[in-house]
Amino acid sequence: MAKGREVILMSISGADRPGVTSSLTSVLADYDVNILDIGQAVIHDHLSLGILFELSGAAETSPVLKDILFKGYELGVSVKFTPITEKRYNHWVSLQGKDRYIITLISRKITSHQLSKVAEIIYEQGLNIDGITRLTGRVPLDSVPEIDDKSSKACVQFSVRGTPRDTVEMRGSFIDVSKEVGADIAFQYDNIYRRNRRLVCFDMDSTLIQTEVIVELAKRAGVGDEVDRITESAMRGEIDFKESFAKRVALLKGLDESVMQEIAENLPVTEGAERLFKTLKKYGFRTAILSGGFTYFGKHLQRKFDIDYVFANDLEIVDGKLTGNYLGEVVTGEAKAEWLKKIAFKEDIHLEQVVAIGDGANDLPMINIAGLGIAFHAKPKVQETAKHAISTIGLDAVLYLMGFRDRDIE
């Protein structure tokens, strides 16, 4: 720092009202000071404003500070000055270029216990919190929700800086705390891709809808128990996915197409899906269903939500009845990942700009190659393998992980 220069941190706090920042910066402008940094936050009509400024050797400190103090008195705000040494200033400058991360806390209701646990992990990992932002709207005092209120949602976003001491350990700590405090905690690298997602891909069964369609079909065909046995055998690793798929589809032979239509018209859509798709379409995102389920039902959801792409399995229908066969190749987990890549390539979208959401192990291939991969209300092993998980609220939680605020959504 050049000789004769002074760096001062000015901290202002008090009731917020129009013109406070304008009036104080006007005083600084009168003395032609150099602004090095500025930050402002308003919580419940209370203003916190910080300005780091430099006085050149030609300027006198006393008149500037006196005029600011007088202006602060007129405005009814408290003003505090802190001299900053050259060593402290240079350390602050050296922090530029450090890695930045976004930590998102999602729950039905944000509690002090949740915030404390997240902040503790951030501190233990040697990270510094640059800012905390509430993404969800304000809640009237007489309607503050309970933690298990299924109609509410709350989200807080931490912007942090530094290098974690152990990223694997930190992610593990967030998973443990998530279970303990009943919240979802996501940790993302804050880069240009995070702020420019463009394609969102969904699994269908037990993700976009709250059922497994093949189970519904099997019940109607009177073969529910047989389908369950084949599914359990596949889960034990006794038969592979393709073989189990073929056996289950064969049991549906003779089922009338009208049954499929009835099921399609009554699919239980997952909480938050309509809000999510409405927002994605509003902001120009491309969307896709990549499913090991059936195209017939994917097309129904495509019409309902104006989805751009559907890739699933085609059931063969002849004379209005299922034949027990399927057409084409079975959509496996690996196939889902390949379709994701093909859509991204066609749309000229980098994989880091893709969001993939699913609940099962066969969704992990696409979840793990996407820039933002999310295990949605998934089994513990899937949650632990995926980088991010949502278990507390509906599908619209995806919007908060993408950085949307309620005011953007509504």
Side-chain angles (χ1 to χ4, degrees):
M1 204 176 298
K3 185 177 180 181
R5 291 182 176 178
E6 291 184 85
V7 174
I8 297 172
L9 174 62
M10 179 173 70
S11 305
I12 299 99
S13 62
D16 183 45
R17 62 174 180 173
V20 172
T21 303
S22 173
S23 298
L24 291 169
T25 53
S26 292
V27 175
L28 296 177
D30 289 341
Y31 289 90
D32 198 27
V33 304
N34 183 27
I35 304 297
L36 301 173
D37 197 11
I38 184 169
Q40 177 174 311
V42 177
I43 300 178
H44 191 55
D45 295 329
H46 185 89
L47 169 72
S48 293
L49 170 64
I51 301 177
L52 187 69
F53 63 90
E54 175 194 26
L55 284 170
S56 66
E60 293 185 28
T61 307
S62 177
V64 181
L65 305 190
K66 182 181 70 174
D67 287 356
I68 290 174
L69 284 171
F70 182 74
K71 181 59 69 174
Y73 175 78
E74 286 184 334
L75 296 169
V77 296
S78 171
V79 182
K80 177 184 176 182
F81 299 105
T82 305
I84 304 299
T85 65
E86 181 176 355
K87 182 178 179 181
R88 284 186 63 193
Y89 179 80
N90 287 335
H91 173 70
W92 174 75
V93 171
S94 71
L95 295 177
Q96 295 182 112
K98 295 286 186 180
D99 289 337
R100 293 179 181 272
Y101 301 90
I102 294 294
I103 297 171
T104 312
L105 172 64
I106 303 172
S107 182
R108 293 293 180 182
K109 174 186 177 182
I110 299 298
T111 68
S112 55
H113 189 50
Q114 293 167 348
L115 291 171
S116 172
K117 287 293 185 180
V118 172
E120 181 180 350
I121 294 172
I122 293 171
Y123 171 72
E124 289 173 348
Q125 288 294 326
L127 299 172
N128 184 69
I129 299 174
D130 282 345
I132 304 175
T133 306
R134 173 178 43 81
L135 300 185
T136 44
R138 296 184 178 96
V139 179
L141 196 58
D142 59 358
S143 62
V144 174
E146 297 297 326
I147 193 68
D148 59 351
D149 184 348
K150 299 303 181 184
S151 65
S152 67
K153 53 182 70 71
C155 179
V156 171
Q157 177 179 281
F158 296 77
S159 176
V160 303
R161 178 180 56 196
T163 303
R165 293 194 174 96
D166 188 327
T167 303
V168 174
E169 177 189 272
M170 181 174 61
R171 290 189 185 279
S173 297
F174 281 143
I175 290 173
D176 293 341
V177 167
S178 293
K179 297 173 184 176
E180 177 187 341
V181 301
D184 295 321
I185 306 168
F187 175 75
Q188 301 179 63
Y189 190 65
D190 189 14
N191 56 23
I192 192 65
Y193 294 121
R194 189 196 72 84
R195 298 186 290 275
N196 288 278
R197 309 291 188 200
R198 291 177 55 200
L199 169 65
V200 185
C201 298
F202 299 85
D203 172 47
M204 182 170 66
D205 296 43
S206 297
T207 298
L208 189 49
I209 55 175
Q210 289 298 284
T211 188
E212 295 286 331
V213 171
I214 196 165
V215 173
E216 299 299 325
L217 291 170
K219 288 178 182 177
R220 300 300 185 89
V223 293
D225 291 341
E226 291 93 324
V227 166
D228 286 345
R229 280 196 291 272
I230 295 170
T231 301
E232 289 170 4
S233 177
M235 291 179 68
R236 289 193 298 268
E238 297 169 355
I239 55 176
D240 66 19
F241 176 77
K242 286 186 178 181
E243 183 181 352
S244 70
F245 180 82
K247 286 185 174 182
R248 286 179 290 179
V249 168
L251 290 171
L252 303 178
K253 182 178 180 178
L255 191 65
D256 197 279
E257 185 179 2
S258 63
V259 175
M260 297 176 65
Q261 183 177 347
E262 182 187 345
I263 292 173
E265 291 173 352
N266 293 281
L267 290 174
V269 174
T270 300
E271 174 199 347
E274 293 190 19
R275 187 174 188 239
L276 172 58
F277 278 105
K278 181 180 179 181
T279 304
L280 293 176
K281 300 311 290 186
K282 175 182 177 181
Y283 289 102
F285 287 82
R286 306 296 277 176
T287 54
I289 290 176
L290 306 178
S291 173
F294 303 120
T295 305
Y296 186 97
F297 303 95
K299 291 291 186 182
H300 177 81
L301 294 168
Q302 182 179 37
R303 292 188 292 271
K304 181 179 180 68
F305 293 121
D306 191 21
I307 296 170
D308 298 295
Y309 298 93
V310 174
F311 294 100
N313 297 298
D314 289 318
L315 292 171
E316 185 180 57
I317 302 173
V318 176
D319 297 329
K321 293 185 181 296
L322 297 184
T323 67
N325 298 319
Y326 60 89
L327 305 173
E329 292 294 320
V330 177
V331 178
T332 62
E334 290 71 24
K336 290 184 183 187
E338 288 304 312
W339 279 118
L340 184 151
K341 291 178 185 177
K342 290 176 182 178
I343 296 170
F345 179 78
K346 179 182 176 182
E347 297 287 346
D348 194 22
I349 294 171
H350 195 285
L351 287 179
E352 284 289 332
Q353 295 175 278
V354 179
V355 181
I357 308 150
D359 72 293
N362 65 332
D363 296 311
L364 286 172
M366 73 170 182
I367 285 174
N368 289 333
I369 65 169
L372 177 59
I374 303 168
F376 181 76
H377 288 261
K379 292 179 174 62
K381 287 187 178 179
V382 178
Q383 290 187 35
E384 291 168 8
T385 305
K387 292 180 181 178
H388 310 286
I390 294 172
S391 299
T392 57
I393 69 173
L395 270 175
D396 50 345
V398 173
L399 295 170
Y400 301 129
L401 295 191
M402 295 167 68
F404 280 86
R405 304 185 187 204
D406 274 356
R407 65 170 180 254
D408 304 318
I409 299 168
E410 307 303 338

